[in-house]
């Protein structure tokens, strides 16, 4: 069974940093693109970033490009999202998702809440 | 950026009825890159349909997807109580290519 478990969310002040983690199990993590998708409270879904299985390609939505960094450790079956210079508008539940087949997230974690507030 | 516009915003129907949800793209989208998701309150999205018309694993056959040009449709043939939720379409494409979601359609019990 595919499992994705996010962690690392919390309350942070504007301008601060946070690192999200996603622990994957139940599939061969190193074979798949992975993605982060977020959802602001009461709003719709927004694709944040995705990364190829071999780390050779990354994509970021314009609103986070230059502030967020997606990375992975295939030996640890883990996906990460380093978030710097956080803004109030980054407040959301952040979901980790497996991409299969391209470009479709077929399995999602339960999400971790990031709140940016002073 | 390709914009996906879903309609209606809210759809009020009764169990047993047929639901038709629309997703219109602002420019051409490959049917291979259009998906539909269901999301219930407090839960993660669940993949229903990918490549515009292929049901994901374990999805009942009352869910179907179709398209014509830039118009994509999710049809639920006979609503069950558990189908009342928010539905999103999602695409990849454009120049430069990117991923976008529609704003969602809320399917509520009438």
């Amino acid at each position: 069974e595919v499992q994705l478990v996010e962690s690392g969310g919390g309350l942070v002040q504007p301008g601060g940093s946070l690192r999200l983690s996603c622990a994957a199990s139940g599939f061969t993590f190193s074979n798949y693109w992975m993605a982060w998708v977020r959802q602001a409270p009461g709003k719709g879904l927004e694709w944040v970033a995705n990364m190829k299985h071999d780390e050779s390609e990354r994509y970021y939505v314009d609103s986070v490009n230059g502030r967020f960094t997606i990375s992975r450790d295939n030996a640890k079956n883990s996906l990460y999202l380093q978030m710097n210079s956080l803004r109030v508008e980054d407040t959301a539940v952040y979901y980790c998702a497996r991409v299969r087949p391209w470009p479709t997230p077929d399995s999602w974690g339960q999400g971790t809440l990031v709140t940016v507030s002073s | 950026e390709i914009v996906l516009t879903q309609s209606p915003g809210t759809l009020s129907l009764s169990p047993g009825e047929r639901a038709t949800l629309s997703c219109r793209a602002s420019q051409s989208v490959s049917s291979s890159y259009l998906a539909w998701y269901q999301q219930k309150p407090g839960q993660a999205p669940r993949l229903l349909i990918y490549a515009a018309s292929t049901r994901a694993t374990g999805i009942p056959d009352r869910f179907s997807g179709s398209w014509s040009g830039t118009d994509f449709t999710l049809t639920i043939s006979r609503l069950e109580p558990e189908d009342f939720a928010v539905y999103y379409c999602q695409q990849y494409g454009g120049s430069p290519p990117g991923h976008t979601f529609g704003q969602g359609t809320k399917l509520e019990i009438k």
Side-chain angles (χ1 to χ4, degrees), chain A residues 37 39 43-45 47 50 59 95 101-106 108-109, chain B residues 33 35 37 39 42-45 47 50 88 90 92 97-99 101:
Chain A
V37 177
Q39 187 170 35
K43 302 298 184 182
L45 300 167
W47 195 288
N50 58 271
Y59 162 87
Y95 295 102
W102 174 262
T104 307
D106 73 325
W108 300 62
Chain B
Y33 295 163
Y37 298 86
Q39 188 179 34
Q43 296 186 16
L47 176 63
Y50 65 93
Y88 295 95
Q90 175 248 335
Y92 172 79
H99 305 261
F101 289 91

Side-chain angles (χ1 to χ4, degrees), chain B residues 9-85:
Chain B
T10 302
L11 184 58
S12 300
L13 294 170
S14 301
E17 291 192 293
R18 180 184 185 91
T20 303
L21 287 66
S22 174
C23 174
R24 175 168 290 177
S26 60
Q27 55 185 281
S28 179
V29 170
S30 169
S31 61
S32 297
Y33 295 163
L34 194 288
W36 289 93
Y37 298 86
Q38 176 193 69
Q39 188 179 34
K40 297 179 180 180
Q43 296 186 16
R46 174 194 182 197
L47 176 63
L48 299 175
I49 300 284
Y50 65 93
S53 61
T54 303
R55 275 188 300 277
T57 303
I59 302 303
D61 60 8
R62 65 179 181 273
F63 290 91
S64 64
S66 62
W67 76 97
S68 175
T70 57
D71 291 335
F72 295 84
T73 301
L74 175 69
T75 301
I76 310 171
S77 60
R78 190 174 171 84
L79 286 166
E80 297 287 343
E82 62 268 26
D83 297 337
F84 293 91

